[in-house]
Amino acid sequence: MKQKMTVPSYMANFKCIAGACEETCCAGWYIAIDEGTYKKYKKVKHPEMKKRLDKELVVKKGSSPECAAKIKLKNNRCAFLAKDNLCDIYKNLGEHYLSETCMMYPRNTNVLGEKTELSLALSCPEAARQILLSKEQIGFNEEEGNPLPVVGARLKLQANSPKHFEDYVLKMRQLLIAIWQESSYNIQDKWQVFEQVMMTFHECKSRQDLKKLTSFLNEMQNGGYLKVNLKSVGKVPQNKKQTSLLESYTTLPVAQKLYATLREMRNQKKWPSSRYETCYSYMIDGLGEAFDIKQYQKGEEIFEAALYESYPYILENYFVNYIYERLVPINQKTPRESLEEMYLYFALIRLHLIGQAANGTHLSEEDIVTLIQSFTRVFDHNELYIQQIKKQLSSK
Ligand code: SF4
């Protein structure tokens, strides 16, 4: 039976570039093994592979159909990734023995009620180029296709007769994406309106006020959010239009704390991606061991010229994809937490690029895409990193 799907426009041009790729799909990650594949692995007859599968699989506590076990890492590489970067499971047992995660990567699927939503992972360099460098706005097409394995979230939604806050996710997300794609806004307007809308969602959720949420969403439809901006913008000088919460993530002291935390983490353990390791070292070279404030200020100017003036579509596409694939604003316990996590990601990306820029005179599209891709590879595929940063930020 065919399935209803939402497919972002960037998927049409994506093709794995295999041998020409700068990365190896699974290097540096714990690979989730779904229940069906785990059962198949238990029945493998190939003597050598049977022995290796018994040794290298770790059964996951509190397992789910999507993740019954994980493959151990050896020197930050999947235990089945051979020296020639080919997969031993694929080579010795065949494609049908690949787990759903391996078969699908870099494609991700979320199931929302009756519908499957497709997206691409930014950790794949070719996907990152397709997503971030498009000068055309990301569109979302409704299609029908064969059922696909679910490698992301699975939500039961009652979108037609909503009873809970989460049932409004599609409408809320549509509004958030529209704000990021609003061509009459500059970047500061986008941040400002986005934050106001997220905080309204937060208030509705914390008071369980679904009536207010419904009327707010109705009011915002068809560009109602433009009026929110017009009402509030006049009070703030054009060059100072920044939101308070965002500001708290992009101050100099916060940048210094993030820098110190990243350095502590790196001192404990090498990063699990050589591409990210290079980007990280550019940041350290630019800002110096002791965090040079003058260098930071120089880098900040270059960062703003590149991201806000020369290539504003990169940031727009990044946030549109972020909101879409993570199901903002319901990806954390509250919309405020969801907003703060998004700001933290932005603050980290910003810091790396400021550091890199401080070393030179400009940032190219390729510099930005390489940083976002390799950063995502490390921080999105092992949630412990971002948790550690959050803990450090709240403890100091
Ligand atoms: S990272 Fe992306 S482009 Fe590279 S080999 Fe994997 S799927 Fe292909």
Side-chain angles (χ1 to χ4, degrees), residues 14-26 29 104-107 121 123-127 129 373 377:
F14 173 75
K15 198 165 177 281
C16 169
I17 54 170
C21 182
E22 306 91 317
E23 290 274 17
T24 308
C25 285
C26 56
W29 297 338
M104 289 289 287
Y105 185 80
R107 291 163 193 84
S123 52
C124 157
E126 184 54 18
R129 285 187 279 270
Q373 176 270 322
R377 196 169 181 87

Side-chain angles (χ1 to χ4, degrees), residues 246-275:
L246 173 65
E247 210 163 26
S248 69
Y249 274 86
T250 51
T251 58
L252 178 62
V254 169
Q256 287 169 314
K257 273 186 202 171
L258 291 176
Y259 191 68
T261 306
L262 287 168
R263 294 200 58 202
E264 263 171 51
M265 288 165 75
R266 174 59 184 82
N267 288 343
Q268 284 162 17
K269 206 166 147 206
K270 247 180 121 182
W271 299 111
S273 153
S274 54
R275 237 175 162 224

